[in-house]
Amino acid sequence: MEKPRITILYGSQTGNAQDVAERLGREAKQMLLSPAVMPMDAYDVAQLPSERLLLCVASTTGQGDPPDNMKRFWRFMLRKGLSPDSLSAVQFSVFGLGDSNYPKYNVTAKKLFRRLESLGARPLVPLGLGNDQHPAGYEAALDPWALSLWPAARQ
């Protein structure tokens, strides 16, 4: 039996979002899924409408900017010509990494989640937001988010 594919894309400036994406890839294998993990800008966006399971991990940098390795992906996602139902076959979720000391806390992940929904993609689980200021770090939000994610992804 072929394992269902799950695409895990990340936008990372310092490596934390990449670490999270790679962790999710390892967990996906344990859940008998076939993960493909890569930076958002390395992904062929023309394939996006044919994805069935999509996870995005995105950090927010500076004053609310997306990381360098997701800027091309983000520019594509913001194109006005994209149909509101172009991603209707896609189930997705987004986990963000940010620091609540900044006014634009996790803004990249929040915008990405809203944009995927506006293009017809359906969320597997609610948006997850990791906070560097939490005493346990972003894992305090990541662990419960991932626990709810895997049963939803396996359905």
Side-chain angles (χ1 to χ4, degrees):
M1 184 169 99
E2 189 174 325
K3 295 178 183 179
R5 174 183 161 92
I6 185 166
T7 300
I8 303 171
L9 304 178
Y10 63 86
S12 188
Q13 198 68 31
T14 63
N16 287 338
Q18 180 177 353
D19 290 345
V20 169
E22 289 171 353
R23 169 191 157 174
L24 293 171
R26 289 188 300 274
E27 291 179 8
K29 280 184 183 176
Q30 293 172 345
M31 295 294 134
L32 303 177
L33 297 168
S34 178
V37 181
M38 69 194 78
M40 290 185 196
D41 278 355
Y43 178 74
D44 178 4
V45 291
Q47 299 302 311
L48 203 53
S50 65
E51 295 291 350
R52 294 297 166 257
L53 293 172
L54 174 70
L55 300 182
C56 295
V57 182
S59 61
T60 298
T61 67
Q63 300 303 312
D65 300 319
D68 290 339
N69 66 354
M70 77 171 276
K71 287 185 176 179
R72 277 195 336 260
F73 179 89
W74 187 236
R75 275 194 305 273
F76 175 84
M77 292 297 290
L78 292 177
R79 289 175 43 190
K80 293 188 185 328
L82 298 176
S83 167
D85 65 349
S86 59
L87 300 182
S88 61
V90 179
Q91 289 185 290
F92 79 99
S93 198
V94 175
F95 189 83
L97 293 112
D99 185 325
S100 61
N101 279 340
Y102 290 88
K104 295 191 176 181
Y105 166 66
N106 263 317
V107 69
T108 301
K110 292 173 184 176
K111 286 181 176 179
L112 180 57
F113 190 93
R114 285 194 308 264
R115 183 59 176 154
L116 288 164
E117 273 191 317
S118 75
L119 294 173
R122 295 158 297 146
L124 288 162
V125 294
L127 171 65
L129 299 175
N131 185 358
D132 283 344
Q133 292 305 310
H134 190 282
Y138 61 78
E139 288 93 347
L142 177 61
D143 293 341
W145 179 84
L147 281 174
S148 67
L149 170 70
W150 298 123
R154 291 288 301 148
Q155 289 184 358

